Amino acid sequence: MFKEEHSKIAKMHGFVETVEKNAFWLDEIYFVRLKPDLLDVVSRLQRETDPASYKAKWEKKMGEIVYLYENKNEKSFFIHDKPRFYVLIEKLSYYEENHIDLRLVDKDSLTRNAAKKMANYLYQGKGCINDIGNESAIAMMMYVRNGYYKKDFLNDLRKEIANGLEELVGGKESLKPQKLILQNPFPKENDDILELFEVAQAHAGDYQDEEFVLIDSEIAEMLKKGPKDHKPYYSDYEINEATGHYAIVKHYWRRVYDSREDILKSDGDLILYSMGTLVDYTSRSLRGFLFWEMQNMEHVLTFITAGPAIYEKNGLSAADFRKNYCRALIEVLRKEDAN
């Protein structure tokens, strides 16, 4: 399906690949250990709230390495006045005292924030995954600089994504992330995470009516038998669940859809894209896309594109599909936590 985009897709990456790369790309100037004298300066120069309230909020993070940057239109690290500049001098000009806006971010808040954005992205099928990746990269580096491992960050992020998805599947319309990173410290060329839903939306009309086959009792029997000299690919439950509904059936090796007649004459070596199997495929592929360094991008795109098409052919919506694969993804992520 995505042949014309192979070169473009090949240049994009899974989530964790870009997050890891960007985390170690960040300039160390952004990361400072929070001490009383630094907090005094930042409290005075921040524009978020009054100095006393700001100090009270951050005192519990004393001794931790946090992310410090200046909120301004320009990217601070491209000019001479980097954040550390303000904590090394004793006196600032009147203009600087009244116009500088320093910001602090800690690893836990940023991880939860990125997880909320990711849960919204997966559940709603819209948003910017590179924005989520940028926050995650900063959070990962804070974990590393505070003596943790990158796997500690990924484990916490996975748990928080599962928590967020649970709220959304349970009926919450959306999660409310904060604007914690007001500047993107990464150049545009570092925004190379594959925008799953943007690509999928561009291919929303690729599936034609003739590709959908109504799974009747005869096709169900073919699927239950499976290929010769090989156990069936699908359980009776999966096949029974698909029976009576439209699905796409492809030959395993040729990877082209088969008509009803072709299916009944085939060797039984068939792939079933049904409402149920695509929920399973999508949830597992998304887990890989988010947390594994190697993942077949075309598989992920195929599943999240075929899913809405098959749901809509059966009178349901793309939102129903997303809700179901999010429900399955919660189980996949929770299971990984238990291992």
Side-chain angles (χ1 to χ4, degrees):
M1 177 194 299
F2 303 97
K3 288 181 180 177
E4 73 278 11
E5 293 188 354
H6 275 169
S7 59
K8 178 183 175 182
I9 292 173
K11 294 177 184 177
M12 307 305 284
H13 297 92
F15 182 77
V16 73
E17 295 173 80
T18 295
V19 167
E20 289 183 354
K21 176 194 69 177
N22 283 357
F24 290 93
W25 180 89
L26 276 167
D27 194 318
E28 66 178 12
I29 201 75
Y30 287 103
F31 300 96
V32 296
R33 191 173 297 281
L34 191 58
K35 297 180 179 179
D37 55 346
L38 171 61
L39 184 55
D40 286 341
V41 173
V42 176
S43 297
R44 190 175 82 247
L45 298 177
Q46 54 80 33
R47 301 286 173 252
E48 184 180 328
T49 185
D50 65 274
S53 299
Y54 195 83
K55 285 184 73 172
K57 170 186 172 182
W58 280 95
E59 280 177 338
K60 60 181 178 293
K61 294 289 182 179
M62 200 67 70
E64 184 175 322
I65 292 177
V66 294
Y67 183 77
L68 168 68
Y69 71 102
E70 184 185 357
N71 177 33
K72 60 194 303 181
N73 292 329
E74 299 86 1
K75 292 181 178 179
S76 293
F77 71 76
F78 284 133
I79 55 180
H80 70 279
D81 51 355
K82 296 182 179 180
R84 192 174 294 174
F85 171 78
Y86 299 111
V87 302
L88 293 177
I89 58 179
E90 296 180 357
K91 189 174 182 180
L92 299 176
S93 69
Y94 175 83
Y95 178 86
E96 289 170 321
E97 284 280 357
N98 287 277
H99 291 84
I100 292 170
D101 183 5
L102 294 186
R103 296 298 173 111
L104 291 175
V105 185
D106 68 278
K107 66 178 178 62
D108 300 316
S109 297
L110 195 55
T111 300
R112 285 191 296 270
N113 208 56
K116 285 181 180 179
K117 288 183 176 182
M118 182 61 78
N120 283 336
Y121 180 79
L122 296 172
Y123 187 78
Q124 297 170 347
K126 58 185 179 182
C128 179
I129 198 169
N130 278 294
D131 171 49
I132 304 166
N134 291 337
E135 288 197 359
S136 297
I138 295 168
M140 177 183 281
M141 182 46 70
M142 277 193 281
Y143 269 74
V144 172
R145 288 182 176 272
N146 277 289
Y148 297 92
Y149 296 101
K150 65 182 183 182
K151 69 178 181 180
D152 297 316
F153 162 73
L154 292 172
N155 285 337
D156 286 347
L157 182 68
R158 184 170 56 247
K159 292 173 186 176
E160 293 294 344
I161 291 174
N163 290 341
L165 289 175
E166 209 157 45
E167 289 188 58
L168 293 171
V169 168
K172 198 163 188 176
E173 188 172 328
S174 67
L175 305 176
K176 303 298 182 186
Q178 298 174 277
K179 291 184 178 180
L180 296 180
I181 301 297
L182 304 179
Q183 285 183 351
N184 176 9
F186 303 101
K188 185 66 177 176
E189 57 267 26
N190 286 37
D191 289 347
D192 59 2
I193 303 173
L194 185 63
E195 285 283 6
L196 296 171
F197 299 106
E198 184 179 304
V199 177
Q201 184 60 37
H203 291 269
D206 283 2
Y207 290 94
Q208 306 302 314
D209 263 356
E210 60 267 22
E211 295 185 59
F212 299 102
V213 178
L214 185 65
I215 305 299
D216 57 22
S217 58
E218 288 184 286
I219 295 177
E221 283 305 310
M222 285 288 298
L223 291 165
K224 287 179 180 180
K225 288 179 182 176
K228 186 179 179 181
D229 301 325
H230 193 287
K231 66 179 182 180
Y233 295 134
Y234 304 98
S235 67
D236 286 354
Y237 173 80
E238 289 172 313
I239 298 168
N240 291 337
E241 189 182 44
T243 302
H245 300 287
Y246 286 100
I248 292 174
V249 179
K250 294 175 178 279
H251 191 274
Y252 188 86
W253 295 108
R254 292 184 287 123
R255 298 298 172 95
V256 294
Y257 81 91
D258 294 318
S259 66
R260 182 178 187 280
E261 293 72 25
D262 290 334
I263 294 168
L264 295 178
K265 290 187 294 186
S266 75
D267 57 7
D269 206 356
L270 301 168
I271 298 174
L272 172 66
Y273 285 175
S274 68
M275 290 189 290
T277 61
L278 278 170
V279 162
D280 181 59
Y281 294 158
T282 303
S283 64
R284 294 178 185 278
S285 290
L286 283 173
R287 184 266 309 270
F289 175 80
L290 294 175
F291 296 106
W292 295 352
E293 293 184 3
M294 298 297 294
Q295 177 66 22
N296 188 315
M297 300 295 184
E298 194 165 339
H299 282 176
V300 184
L301 291 172
T302 296
F303 301 150
I304 65 172
T305 306
I310 289 173
Y311 265 63
E312 288 169 5
K313 180 66 178 177
N314 284 288
L316 299 172
S317 68
D320 292 319
F321 173 62
R322 291 194 300 270
K323 184 172 185 177
N324 285 339
Y325 76 59
C326 283
R327 184 180 286 112
L329 183 57
I330 293 168
E331 293 185 21
V332 170
L333 297 179
R334 296 278 192 229
K335 185 177 181 180
E336 195 157 327
D337 285 338
N339 292 338

